[in-house]
Amino acid sequence: LITGFVLIITAVDVLTNQLVSKKNKTEIIVTCALIFTANLFEFVGVKTNGADASLIWIHKGAKLAEFCISPCIGISAAVAYGKMYRKKFIAALPILHALFELAALPFGGVFSVNAENLYRRERLYWIYIVVFLVSIMYCVVAIIRGNKKYQAKLGTVTLLVVIFLIFGICVQMMFSNVRIDFICVAITNLILYHHRENIINQIDALTNLLNRRCFERCFENMKSPSYVVMFDVNKFKYINDNYGHLAGDEYLKRTAQSVFEVYGRYGFCYRIGGDEFCAVLIRDVGRIEELNRRFGEKIAEVQPKDGKYSGVAVGYARYEYGDNIDEVIKRADEMMYANKNTSKCG
């Protein structure tokens, strides 16, 4: 019942969240449904354990279904919250495991139910646990891979969630009469969903850079020297007016990708409005000139191939702890507009 309530809360939140795409809603709901179904079969198995002998096959069927469905949960969560890889291998894993469970059932390889209708784990039970953990770890790696394109630093949350889930599974393995595995899975699913929503709320939807709200909070706890680098797409209004807003969006995404590729390793990259971007460098700040040169070279590589792209104006200023950030941004803006005017770009 607790697991069911957690899943209902997750499902209602997902279905009423306008930030979640229709496809992603379906993926998350499927994950919730798999958790609920596996939990339901576990419940049936517990309630029929030691009951009338006429229920032996219901008991066996419930445990078989639970063991076959459980590895699908991690893979479904990987689809919902991460970036898939080695799809053929991972798709084959639950199928092969289900065939193994079916083949082992008559011999009591993984579990057995005796004549008194009592459940017992057998010598090959560890295979089920390994397959289940592989699906969970696949999900974790998929989430990490999926989050690489974002700059939201939520790796610690993911690690703690994994520790929580593994702890719950280990407790159930050590104490077979304790039933907390699917409660832990349901809570983990809810946390992963909100983890993803946290990322979505931090990024700009068009460019996948951090949004202006994050930029405004960036300097609140900044104590080390850093550089503020401002960017503005040249002749952006001309591009929109003459080639349409879809073309303008494409140049914004191209610019954002270049900013992220050059500066992303050394700090945080933001879209702060319209065609304006910012990078705040907090590591290796002495490389500012080198990074600006690399960015200029990257933009210059694209320009000859595309006559519409007039390039990007860049300006920067150093920030020291205690400085007025508005003044720092103003200095960076002034340099950027001076560079824009020098190149005769509006």
Side-chain angles (χ1 to χ4, degrees):
L1 287 174
I2 293 171
T3 303
F5 274 118
V6 173
L7 292 170
I8 289 170
I9 291 168
T10 307
V12 172
D13 196 348
V14 169
L15 293 172
T16 56
N17 191 335
Q18 296 187 29
L19 292 175
V20 180
S21 68
K22 184 177 180 180
K23 178 176 178 291
N24 196 216
K25 284 183 179 182
T26 301
E27 294 164 348
I28 297 171
I29 294 300
V30 167
T31 303
C32 291
L34 286 171
I35 298 169
F36 178 80
T37 305
N39 179 66
L40 178 63
F41 281 120
E42 182 187 55
F43 177 76
V44 172
V46 170
K47 299 305 288 185
T48 54
N49 190 41
D52 190 274
S54 63
L55 300 176
I56 286 178
W57 284 106
I58 294 177
H59 189 180
K60 284 186 176 182
K63 297 305 295 183
L64 176 66
E66 176 197 340
F67 284 15
C68 290
I69 293 171
S70 295
C72 298
I73 294 170
I75 299 169
S76 179
V79 175
Y81 307 118
K83 182 179 180 181
M84 298 287 285
Y85 64 103
R86 297 186 178 179
K87 296 179 182 179
K88 291 182 179 179
F89 163 76
I90 204 62
L93 181 65
I95 296 172
L96 293 175
H97 177 254
L99 293 174
F100 164 75
E101 291 285 351
L102 281 168
L105 182 63
F107 308 102
V110 178
F111 70 90
S112 63
V113 178
N114 64 20
E116 287 75 36
N117 200 7
L118 293 172
Y119 165 81
R120 177 182 170 182
R121 296 170 181 171
E122 298 295 349
R123 63 192 181 281
L124 297 181
Y125 178 79
W126 65 270
I127 294 178
Y128 160 67
I129 294 297
V130 168
V131 172
F132 182 63
L133 288 176
V134 166
S135 74
I136 295 299
M137 295 314 297
Y138 177 88
C139 176
V140 172
V141 175
I143 290 170
I144 293 171
R145 282 169 56 89
N147 288 352
K148 277 186 177 180
K149 65 179 179 178
Y150 308 122
Q151 292 194 81
K153 304 299 183 182
L154 297 171
T156 304
V157 173
T158 304
L159 177 62
L160 290 173
V161 168
V162 172
I163 293 172
F164 166 74
L165 179 58
I166 292 176
F167 171 76
I169 293 170
C170 289
V171 167
Q172 179 141 337
M173 284 185 65
M174 290 186 291
F175 306 101
S176 59
N177 61 324
V178 176
R179 301 290 171 178
I180 64 168
D181 52 348
F182 290 113
I183 294 175
C184 291
V185 171
I187 293 172
T188 297
N189 181 58
L190 178 60
I191 295 172
L192 288 176
Y193 163 63
H194 281 289
H195 170 276
R196 185 171 181 82
E197 289 309 290
N198 196 3
I199 292 177
I200 291 173
N201 286 329
Q202 291 184 50
I203 64 168
D204 173 68
L206 179 66
T207 63
N208 285 335
L209 298 186
L210 294 169
N211 58 28
R212 186 176 183 89
R213 184 185 303 168
C214 293
F215 175 72
E216 290 171 352
R217 299 287 181 270
C218 175
F219 296 92
E220 289 183 356
N221 299 310
M222 188 80 71
K223 294 184 179 180
S224 58
S226 58
Y227 271 98
V228 176
V229 190
M230 304 295 291
F231 308 86
D232 190 278
V233 180
N234 294 329
K235 294 186 177 179
F236 186 67
K237 185 176 185 303
Y238 174 83
I239 293 172
N240 272 337
D241 291 345
N242 289 272
Y243 303 106
H245 288 281
L246 289 178
D249 287 349
E250 190 59 39
Y251 288 112
L252 289 177
K253 288 189 281 189
R254 180 180 297 180
T255 302
Q257 182 178 359
S258 298
V259 170
F260 181 70
E261 288 176 356
V262 174
Y263 300 93
R265 290 177 55 193
Y266 305 96
F268 302 98
C269 304
Y270 307 85
R271 182 188 179 196
I272 56 177
D275 60 331
E276 295 182 349
F277 301 89
C278 179
V280 178
L281 308 186
I282 59 176
R283 293 181 291 275
D284 293 340
V285 294
R287 303 183 64 181
I288 180 68
E289 296 290 352
E290 176 192 341
L291 295 176
N292 288 344
R293 184 174 65 255
R294 280 172 51 193
F295 180 75
E297 290 170 353
K298 181 176 282 289
I299 297 300
E301 289 174 4
V302 178
Q303 283 180 274
K305 303 174 187 176
D306 190 340
K308 305 184 192 75
Y309 195 35
S310 299
V312 182
V314 181
Y316 64 94
R318 186 179 176 91
Y319 170 83
E320 298 282 355
Y321 179 61
D323 285 352
N324 185 315
I325 185 57
D326 292 333
E327 289 297 323
V328 175
I329 294 172
K330 182 180 178 182
R331 292 201 306 272
D333 270 338
E334 287 172 351
M335 179 186 287
M336 180 187 70
Y337 284 112
N339 291 336
K340 184 183 286 285
N341 293 332
T342 300
S343 61
K344 297 181 181 179
C345 293

